């Protein structure tokens, strides 16, 4: 999608602090971290949110979760939270599917 911030980050057109990249997904540190370690994992293909996951693209989500497991393990992170906000009321500000991976501090439940 031409006017999408995260499409541009995944394509390297906007700089980011990259954590991981392969042909299907891209991971980078959040510009406004909400925990000592806070990175985002996104598909390179434009998907607007979890609400747009279907049988045609759900393989990307499975892949992203494999990547989350592998990257956290390689960084020695053994406790973390994975969050995806869907829609305005839930706090989604960038309309490109992304999974927040937060760690390094005690977390509360329920989330705010
Ligand atoms: P959400 O509010 O759930 O849609 O998450 C979007 C996240 O993207 C927020 O945590 C922002 O801090 C983060 N963000 C926005 N712009 C950038 C950027 N240029 N580089 C890294 N993270 C960003
Ligand atoms: Zn996009």
């Amino acid at each position: 999608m031409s006017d999408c911030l995260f499409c541009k980050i995944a394509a390297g057109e906007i700089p980011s602090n990259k954590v991981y990249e392969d042909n299907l997904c891209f991971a980078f540190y959040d510009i406004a971290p909400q925990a000592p370690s806070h990175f985002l994992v996104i598909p390179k293909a434009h998907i607007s949110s979890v609400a747009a996951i279907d049988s045609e693209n759900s393989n990307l989500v499975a892949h992203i979760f494999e990547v989350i497991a592998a990257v956290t393990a390689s960084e020695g992170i053994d406790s973390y939270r994975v969050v995806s906000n869907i829609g305005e009321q839930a706090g989604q500000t960038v309309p490109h599917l992304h999974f927040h991976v937060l760690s390094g501090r005690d977390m509360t439940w329920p989330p705010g």
Side-chain angles (χ1 to χ4, degrees), residues 84-100:
S84 193
N85 299 318
I86 298 98
E88 197 176 334
Q89 189 172 32
Q92 184 178 9
T93 58
V94 179
H96 179 126
L97 178 65
H98 50 283
F99 295 93
H100 298 258

Side-chain angles (χ1 to χ4, degrees), residues 5-6 9 14-17 28-34 38 40 83-87 90-96 98 100:
L5 172 64
F6 284 1
I9 286 177
I14 290 177
S16 67
N17 192 357
F28 56 104
Y29 286 105
D30 197 293
I31 203 167
Q34 301 301 310
H38 181 181
L40 305 172
V83 176
S84 193
N85 299 318
I86 298 98
Q92 184 178 9
T93 58
V94 179
H96 179 126
H98 50 283
H100 298 258

Side-chain angles (χ1 to χ4, degrees), residues 20 22-25 58-68:
Y20 173 87
D22 63 27
N23 58 328
L24 297 177
C25 74
S58 60
N59 63 309
L60 294 173
V61 180
H63 178 70
I64 283 171
F65 274 82
E66 288 182 34
V67 166
I68 289 171

Side-chain angles (χ1 to χ4, degrees), residues 68-93:
I68 289 171
V71 170
T72 51
S74 75
E75 306 241 330
I77 299 169
D78 60 6
S79 184
Y80 53 96
R81 185 169 289 178
V82 180
V83 176
S84 193
N85 299 318
I86 298 98
E88 197 176 334
Q89 189 172 32
Q92 184 178 9
T93 58

